[in-house]
Amino acid sequence: MNKPQVPDFLKNIRVVLARPNHPGNIGSAARAMKTMGLSRLYLVEPKVFPSDEANTLASGAVDLLEHATVVPSLAEALQDVTIACALTSRRRELTTPLSTPRQTTPELVARARDGEQVALVFGNETFGLSIEEVEQCNRLVTIPGNPDYFSLNLAMAVQVMTYELFSHTGVDVDYLRADSDAAALGEVEGFCGHLEQTMDKIGYFRRRNSERMMRRMRTLFNRAGLLREEIDILRGFLKQVQRAADGEVRRDAPGPNGE
Amino acid sequence: MNKPQVPDFLKNIRVVLARPNHPGNIGSAARAMKTMGLSRLYLVEPKVFPSDEANTLASGAVDLLEHATVVPSLAEALQDVTIACALTSRRRELTTPLSTPRQTTPELVARARDGEQVALVFGNETFGLSIEEVEQCNRLVTIPGNPDYFSLNLAMAVQVMTYELFSHTGVDVDYLRADSDAAALGEVEGFCGHLEQTMDKIGYFRRRNSERMMRRMRTLFNRAGLLREEIDILRGFLKQVQRAADGEVRRDAPGPNGE
């Protein structure tokens, strides 16, 4: 399977950092964005920018910092945006709808796909978003978490929110899956028959309920999701057991590869 | 609404960091865990531990570092574990099932709830998990992301995975929602009637199709999810419009509060 492409519409989703204090967080946020296919970073009145620290923490995502848009106010960052999500962890006396990233992202993805501009707005590390900043947004988004320790770092919040977005793009990890050849039920049954016959031949069922034993074995091997190659190994082993039982090999005899 | 509790069964889910190089990552991982209600950290052969750097980055999560279990091998960290998820971003020639955090977590939560011990296993920052380490796990988990830049920082991966877990615990952000009193459809309709009557009274419908206009207005206000308080403000405004049209107030007159 080929490596999938990052969907083009993700360029319609921007991350806006409002008044970030620490240059390191700008770099880490850029890195987090890029891991999830986002590229457009807006910085509202960053305390320090550009900086070596941001570049270092951005790792391979320095290109996002180079193309970042620095603006003097949140309003400018949101000018052409239709949906702006204010990320907040505090209870707000606002009637703007509050939802989780999982509830919000399908709409964001749908709108970005339609060509609308969408913004994820993150506040200052210490103070969060001001009430005036939140009021410029039309969604409130809160990342669920430990009610007694809600201390999500700025870049971590960017990572979680962009992960959630990416998970709704339909780009899966299929291309990383190893090729494997699942055995059909008939093949599993063939193996179980071979196992039963072998157990019987070497006297394993004596004083045991063979029917019950085999039911357990069938359940196990059906559940295990056997692959063809695994069945080949197991059946090879069973053949060797039968040969050993027939006295054709000594128990400590070297196999065909060991001679 | 009261603040919810972190579910007790989360103590059955541990994070295992295998051979972490950077003390800062240990601290950041602890902080990430605590934001998502996890508390049990295992460290396999950490290069440096304990350290001031880890404590600093752990912020309010130093308690997790103090109670961390340091072990000499991954096998020891997994001794009593039934499901161990190896976090990996590389294609592996292994037949262990590969899935995303979203696909995996419902099972992890169910098993932890049943009292089983579950582990999330993260590899070294530079080399990831070795093949021998992956083979000790019975699940492969890959966080989906940009196929051309898969450079998720260790603590970021812990944050995403634990966020995903927490999102399946059923603890929502409801308790953070502002109390609001949604208007019923009859109240919205009452307001729309009031609006129509006001528009009519001041001659807004002259030369305009009133039926079409009002259909647009009804659609808008039904979509907007009006709150009772908002209807009160709007109807107060309409009353004042009618009074102004009756010549009862001068256009620049101060209102009752401004006198």
Side-chain angles (χ1 to χ4, degrees), chain A residues 13-19 42 44 74-75 77-78 81 83-88 92 108 118-124 128-130 133-134 136-141 154 157-158 161:
Chain A
I13 304 178
R14 69 189 65 174
V15 166
V16 182
L17 303 184
R19 300 171 291 120
Y42 282 69
V44 182
L74 180 58
L78 302 180
V81 160
I83 302 286
C85 299
L87 272 285
T88 171
R92 303 272 190 176
L108 305 185
V118 169
L120 311 172
V121 184
F122 298 83
N124 171 274
L129 290 167
S130 70
E133 287 168 334
V134 171
Q136 292 175 60
C137 301
N138 44 9
R139 298 285 185 279
L140 280 179
V141 175
L154 172 57
V158 172
M161 189 66 198

Side-chain angles (χ1 to χ4, degrees), chain B residues 207-246:
Chain B
R207 275 172 295 171
R208 285 190 179 93
N209 180 338
S210 67
E211 207 176 302
R212 200 182 130 266
M213 300 256 126
M214 287 315 299
R215 203 158 46 228
R216 297 299 291 257
M217 290 294 101
R218 279 195 173 82
T219 310
L220 159 61
F221 288 110
N222 274 315
R223 180 178 64 232
L226 281 173
L227 303 180
R228 288 218 168 105
E229 202 190 326
E230 293 162 351
I231 288 194
D232 290 344
I233 296 171
L234 288 167
R235 294 192 74 155
F237 167 61
L238 293 179
K239 274 185 204 146
Q240 189 70 4
V241 169
Q242 300 204 356
R243 249 181 269 146
D246 289 336

Side-chain angles (χ1 to χ4, degrees), chain B residues 124-195:
Chain B
N124 172 272
E125 294 92 336
T126 312
F127 308 106
L129 291 167
S130 70
I131 184 80
E132 293 76 18
E133 287 168 335
V134 171
E135 279 176 349
Q136 293 175 60
C137 300
N138 43 9
R139 299 285 185 279
L140 279 180
V141 175
T142 295
I143 297 171
N146 187 346
D148 298 316
Y149 180 73
F150 216 86
S151 172
L152 210 71
N153 164 280
L154 172 59
M156 290 289 190
V158 171
Q159 186 74 70
V160 166
M161 189 65 198
T162 56
Y163 156 74
E164 190 63 51
L165 263 176
F166 193 87
S167 76
H168 289 268
T169 60
V171 177
D172 193 34
V173 298
D174 281 334
Y175 70 102
L176 292 170
R177 287 200 170 89
D179 297 319
S180 65
D181 208 3
L185 290 176
E187 294 167 301
V188 177
E189 183 50 36
F191 159 68
C192 287
H194 196 164
L195 177 64

Side-chain angles (χ1 to χ4, degrees), chain A residues 1 3-6 28-38 58-61 88-95 97-103 142-157 159-160 163-164 166-168 171-180 227 229-230, chain B residues 1 3-6 28-38 58-61 88-95 97-103 142-157 159-160 163-164 166-168 171-180 227 229-230:
Chain A
M1 184 169 275
K3 199 165 71 168
Q5 294 294 307
V6 169
S28 296
R31 180 175 173 179
M33 288 171 64
K34 190 166 178 179
T35 63
M36 295 300 157
L38 294 198
S59 189
T88 171
S89 58
R90 270 182 290 158
R91 187 182 159 92
R92 303 272 190 176
E93 291 306 329
L94 283 170
T95 54
L98 170 66
S99 57
T100 62
R102 189 141 318 153
Q103 291 160 347
T142 296
I143 296 172
N146 187 347
D148 298 316
Y149 180 73
F150 216 86
S151 174
L152 208 70
N153 165 278
L154 172 57
M156 290 287 190
Q159 186 75 69
V160 166
Y163 156 74
E164 190 62 52
F166 193 87
S167 77
H168 289 267
V171 178
D172 193 34
V173 297
D174 280 334
Y175 70 102
L176 293 170
R177 287 200 170 89
D179 299 318
S180 64
L227 304 180
E229 201 190 327
E230 293 162 351
Chain B
M1 186 169 276
K3 199 165 72 167
Q5 294 293 306
V6 169
S28 296
R31 180 174 173 182
M33 287 171 65
K34 191 167 179 178
T35 64
M36 296 299 157
L38 293 199
S59 189
T88 172
S89 58
R90 270 181 291 158
R91 186 182 161 92
R92 303 273 190 174
E93 292 305 331
L94 283 170
T95 54
L98 169 67
S99 56
T100 63
R102 190 141 316 153
Q103 291 161 345
T142 295
I143 297 171
N146 187 346
D148 298 316
Y149 180 73
F150 216 86
S151 172
L152 210 71
N153 164 280
L154 172 59
M156 290 289 190
Q159 186 74 70
V160 166
Y163 156 74
E164 190 63 51
F166 193 87
S167 76
H168 289 268
V171 177
D172 193 34
V173 298
D174 281 334
Y175 70 102
L176 292 170
R177 287 200 170 89
D179 297 319
S180 65
L227 303 180
E229 202 190 326
E230 293 162 351

Side-chain angles (χ1 to χ4, degrees), chain A residues 67-84:
Chain A
H67 294 102
T69 308
V70 180
V71 288
S73 71
L74 180 58
E76 275 190 55
L78 302 180
Q79 200 66 45
D80 57 335
V81 160
T82 57
I83 302 286

